[in-house]
Amino acid sequence: MPVPARILVVDDDDSIRTSVATTLRAEGFTVAEASDGRDLVEDLRRAAPDLVLLDWMLPGPSGIVLAGRVHSTSDAAVVMMTARDELDERLRGFAEGADDYVVKPFAMAELVARVTAVLRRRGRIPSVVEVGDLVLDPDAATARRAGVLLDLTATEFRLLRFLAESRGRTVSKGQITTQVWGYDDVAANVVEVHLSALRRKMEAHGPRLVHTVRGIGYRLSDERTAA
């Protein structure tokens, strides 16, 4: 078995830091925590993280300053947690070495998906995702069900990829539109149309994997093997 990816969570809000750390540990990651960046170099040496989750607004050095320090002292990726969503602020963060952003308040499913995507790009976790007899290869942009190659549109593939990377968790329509379309101003029926088309193609080769959670959203899981 591969060694779990290591993540350092730096946030001075105890409740947020604890919730994020607990969620990431439940996903199988090894997690270390820090309430500020004053001892960042020592924290990096001790935790040897593959990825650092940095709050932008920290006591002492800000997250944007610390992002530069991470890259000057380690090869860890950086994902910023911030309430700042203005374009110039995001561009500044990327200029300082941030690999991605998650904007507060965020859903844990989105956070996990973004962390997973960054780690996958870094080659730290396997690219191929398997759920039951579904095999999704993001690098090759292919999806197979029971060994059969699915003929998916680009949007259907992005939708399936987000659901697969969030496998076992329920995601809302809002989370889907943000991750698949890049913004949340998408009519609800547009999501339903693409989900229906995706389901038809998948269920032509096996039982249902994309389940509706009434009043909440959708979950991709193999119910036959769920504990």
Side-chain angles (χ1 to χ4, degrees):
M1 294 292 289
V3 176
R6 299 178 298 274
I7 299 174
L8 172 62
V9 181
V10 185
D11 196 312
D12 63 318
D13 187 312
D14 292 343
S15 62
I16 293 177
R17 188 180 67 254
T18 299
S19 295
V20 168
T22 299
T23 297
L24 293 172
R25 289 187 181 108
E27 292 294 323
F29 297 110
T30 297
V31 182
E33 303 176 46
S35 59
D36 59 52
R38 293 185 177 92
D39 298 318
L40 180 66
V41 173
E42 176 60 23
D43 291 334
L44 291 171
R45 185 198 64 76
R46 184 177 62 254
D50 300 293
L51 182 145
V52 180
L53 268 170
L54 271 176
D55 181 35
W56 185 302
M57 301 298 291
L58 287 167
S62 69
I64 198 68
V65 171
L66 295 174
R69 292 184 186 175
V70 170
H71 284 303
S72 67
T73 57
S74 79
D75 61 356
V78 174
V79 174
M80 301 293 297
M81 299 182 292
T82 177
R84 297 171 180 261
D85 194 30
E86 295 81 4
L87 177 59
D88 59 339
E89 297 288 358
R90 282 183 282 134
L91 291 175
R92 181 185 173 199
F94 286 126
E96 291 296 330
D99 294 89
D100 202 355
Y101 276 83
V102 59
V103 179
K104 295 180 178 181
F106 50 78
M108 288 298 174
E110 178 187 2
L111 175 71
V112 171
R114 289 186 179 277
V115 165
T116 300
V118 171
L119 288 169
R120 182 169 290 121
R121 290 198 300 269
R122 290 292 190 99
R124 189 58 189 82
I125 58 177
S127 177
V128 174
V129 179
E130 297 185 31
V131 182
D133 59 0
L134 172 70
V135 179
L136 185 79
D137 187 342
D139 292 338
T142 59
R144 296 179 182 274
R145 185 85 199 270
V148 178
L149 182 66
L150 301 180
D151 183 16
L152 304 180
T153 66
T155 299
E156 290 166 355
F157 184 82
R158 291 196 304 272
L159 175 57
L160 179 57
R161 178 175 179 174
F162 176 60
L163 292 171
E165 290 178 345
S166 304
R167 58 195 178 279
R169 299 187 300 275
T170 300
V171 294
S172 68
K173 286 183 180 178
Q175 291 168 332
I176 290 173
T177 57
T178 298
Q179 293 299 308
V180 176
W181 279 269
Y183 53 91
D184 57 12
D185 187 20
V186 177
N189 67 314
V190 172
V191 176
E192 293 167 359
V193 167
H194 283 87
L195 272 168
S196 294
L198 177 61
R199 276 174 164 162
R200 284 196 301 272
K201 294 177 181 180
M202 293 175 63
E203 291 170 19
H205 306 288
R208 175 158 292 190
L209 288 179
V210 179
H211 307 276
T212 300
V213 181
R214 192 173 301 277
I216 303 177
Y218 303 91
R219 180 183 67 253
L220 189 147
S221 64
D222 185 359
E223 303 290 356
R224 297 169 302 173
T225 60

